[in-house]
Amino acid sequence: MTICVHGIGYIGLATAALFANNGHEVVGYDPDAEKIERLRQRDPRTEERELREYVVAALDRGFVPSDEPREADYHLICVPTPYDPTSGSADLRYVEQAGRTVAERLRPGDTVILESTVPPGTTATVLGPLLEESGLRAGEEFHLAHCPETVLPGNIVHELRHNDRIVGGVDDDSTEAARALFGPVTEGAVRRAPDATTAEFVKLVQNAYRDVNIGFANELARVARGFDIDVRDAIGLANYHPRVDILRPGPGVGGHCLPIDPLFLDDGPVKTDLIAAARRVNDGMSRFVVELLKEELGTLDGRTVAVLGVAYKGNVDDTRNSPGLRLLRELRQPSTTDPQAAITATDGGHAVVDTRLHDPHVEDEDLDLLSLEAALHGADAAVVATDHDEFADIDPETARDLMAGHLVVDAKAVLDDEAWADAGFRYVRV
Ligand code: SAJ
């Protein structure tokens, strides 16, 4: 088959590599000429070694990165769908752009598959009409389906090959055309949804489920502190029940999926209640950590806090909606509504607390990231906000000698609590 992948961010890139490595003729189109050039130079720019190697193998097998879209039997749309806080709904401009691009090249019999995460109804009512500007009818002269991606950042290649896929078309032939493409390259099952809108809904449900489950754990963390109970001990014991499986609490839920996708469910006429509450609980965890610091330190005025970890989760370099940065905002300018201003405000003008940042995986000139030693030096408290493997290896005695105070808040439970207590720390975990 000839395939044109539209948008080669980490999902599009991995998807293009999957098909090229399975013998298809694949062009990966992205308007970002610099990204294309880097790929041509065999530099996929990702921290995931397995994905890098997978993409390089695909390039060896003829995968063509291009800043020009091409005609193809299959068009796979893998563009970003950010949340627009002003309108309170998904910003579909990239999907729309891709739709117009495909429409100009669409031929009778071609198949268009949307992989981007979108509010229910987008494939049929937003993308479909744009594609029909080609003069061809969806479900009659070309196939149109949704097949959501479900890969976990950090383990993309494995999940891309092994996870089940959901496919839902605007008609049965479209579903079948999508199934025919994904079936042979997927170790998991390819499951037919009744239609494209159900497939879109299922993707949102999966991420909302995880967000609500973590929200439950986070609520338990707040309640348990009131009883002076270690919530992780309690959750561990509760999970021995055969029908209980509670996730882990922490400083909040980050990334570009869990904090965003549940909001897309609110695009319909009925608004979420439980799901929206879980979002509020999860967003409130940075405030919870600040209150905890305040209680433990007596006051935050004039205190120095080292925040360890600004990636949204362990062992990745992505800082989107990062709990560590949210915590930083709360510490620096509790009342700000402009997150970027708070993150970059290092002059201390409005600062309540002096903050230091360290993250071994992230490179970002705007963030004023320090080495571990410089971040800990003179700090009254350290907060572990991300579960990077490196943090488990921090030597508590070295930390004690560097720091002015001896409070450590382990919001991801990655440190050896006894070793830190033995080194003279007040160890508190979320
Ligand atoms: N987190 C917790 N407690 C937990 C698990 C996670 O606080 O027990 C936090 C993480 O630290 C992180 C956030 O949740 O801040 C999200 O991390 P994650 O690993 O749960 O998920 P993502 O955002 O990296 O990827 C999710 C995955 N969705 C599901 O597992 C249902 C992935 O499979 C999706 O493909 C991805 O979203 C996506 O692209 O939608």
Side-chain angles (χ1 to χ4, degrees), residues 366-377:
D366 289 339
L367 287 180
D368 198 13
L369 290 163
L370 303 172
S371 68
L372 178 65
E373 290 70 24
L376 293 179
H377 185 78

Side-chain angles (χ1 to χ4, degrees), residues 10-11 117 149-154 159 163 203 205-211 213-214 217-218 232 246-259 261 282 311-314 316 320-323 385-387 411-412:
Y10 74 93
I11 296 296
T117 305
E149 63 79 15
T150 62
V151 296
L152 190 74
E159 294 215 345
N163 287 3
K203 163 70 192 202
V205 166
Q206 289 170 333
N207 280 350
Y209 166 77
R210 197 162 166 81
D211 198 38
N213 191 331
I214 300 167
N218 282 334
R232 288 177 192 261
I246 307 166
L247 286 168
R248 297 170 302 278
V253 170
H256 46 287
C257 304
L258 266 54
D261 297 359
N282 290 336
Y312 86 87
K313 70 175 186 178
V316 304
R320 282 177 287 178
N321 299 308
S322 138
T386 307
D387 43 352
K412 297 297 283 186

Side-chain angles (χ1 to χ4, degrees), residues 192-206:
R192 290 183 182 81
D195 50 38
T197 306
T198 306
E200 292 163 337
F201 187 71
V202 169
K203 163 70 192 202
L204 301 180
V205 166
Q206 289 170 333

Side-chain angles (χ1 to χ4, degrees), residues 27 83 89 148 153-154 168 181 185 196 207 220 231 249 301 321 355 414:
V27 169
Y83 177 70
S89 57
L181 182 69
V185 300
N207 280 350
L220 293 180
V231 71
D301 282 346
N321 299 308
T355 45
V414 292

